[in-house]
Amino acid sequence: MILKEECIFCKIVNKNIPVDIVKETDNFIVIKDINPVSQVHLLIISKRHYDSVLDAGGEGEWNGGNEIFRLLCALAEEFKVKDKGFRTVINTGSDGGQTVNHLHVHFMAGRWFGWPPG
Ligand code: 5GP
Ligand code: ZN
């Protein structure tokens, strides 16, 4: 499945909902989270619809992992947080706290993040 009709992130990727694109690559768009938990809170959203990591990470499936790592480095540079660092999160399923069932990675920076997470 490439796009899912009722999916909010598919609508964003498809530009059916107006949104500021921070960055765009072959497989991802980066946007600001609508409900930020830190000064910098971005979402790296797969252009192709996958319900979660479990959907995208299967054998023979798409391989966007390297692109995600390159994007994290580029965002750290652009947002000038290489020295201080940042938090990267992929929530998966109900115990993981996933609320939007379309593969995305959180990039959060600009404050200290505790461990373990809540
Ligand atoms: P999850 O809990 O699934 O890992 O995270 C979903 C994230 O998407 C949440 O942080 C939420 O604030 C964000 N979000 C949900 N709907 C929208 C939207 O329409 N636009 C943007 N920019 N972010 C959204
Ligand atoms: Zn989707």
Side-chain angles (χ1 to χ4, degrees):
M1 183 195 322
I2 295 184
L3 292 169
K4 210 172 171 179
E5 219 164 89
E6 70 279 18
C7 171
I8 182 89
F9 283 1
C10 281
K11 286 185 182 145
I12 287 173
V13 166
N14 239 355
K15 297 173 177 119
N16 290 339
I17 297 177
V19 69
D20 285 341
I21 308 267
V22 173
K23 209 170 181 59
E24 183 163 4
T25 65
D26 286 350
N27 291 301
F28 298 94
I29 60 163
V30 180
I31 64 167
K32 290 184 175 164
D33 197 292
I34 204 171
N35 192 17
V37 300
S38 51
Q39 209 184 333
V40 178
H41 186 173
L42 306 173
L43 299 171
I44 300 171
I45 301 178
S46 166
K47 284 184 179 172
R48 186 173 177 151
H49 181 96
Y50 288 105
D51 289 344
S52 74
V53 164
L54 293 173
D55 194 18
E59 210 171 317
E61 276 295 344
W62 150 105
N63 184 355
N66 288 342
E67 215 175 300
I68 291 175
F69 272 63
R70 280 199 300 274
L71 264 172
L72 293 173
C73 292
L75 292 171
E77 176 92 44
E78 276 172 40
F79 286 84
K80 301 187 181 1
V81 295
K82 274 170 86 175
D83 289 343
K84 286 223 149 193
F86 54 90
R87 175 65 58 87
T88 307
V89 168
I90 305 178
N91 295 320
T92 303
S94 54
D95 271 6
Q98 184 176 5
T99 58
V100 177
N101 294 329
H102 176 127
L103 182 66
H104 59 281
V105 179
H106 294 259
F107 178 92
M108 295 166 285
R111 70 169 169 88
W112 182 83
F113 290 93
W115 194 266

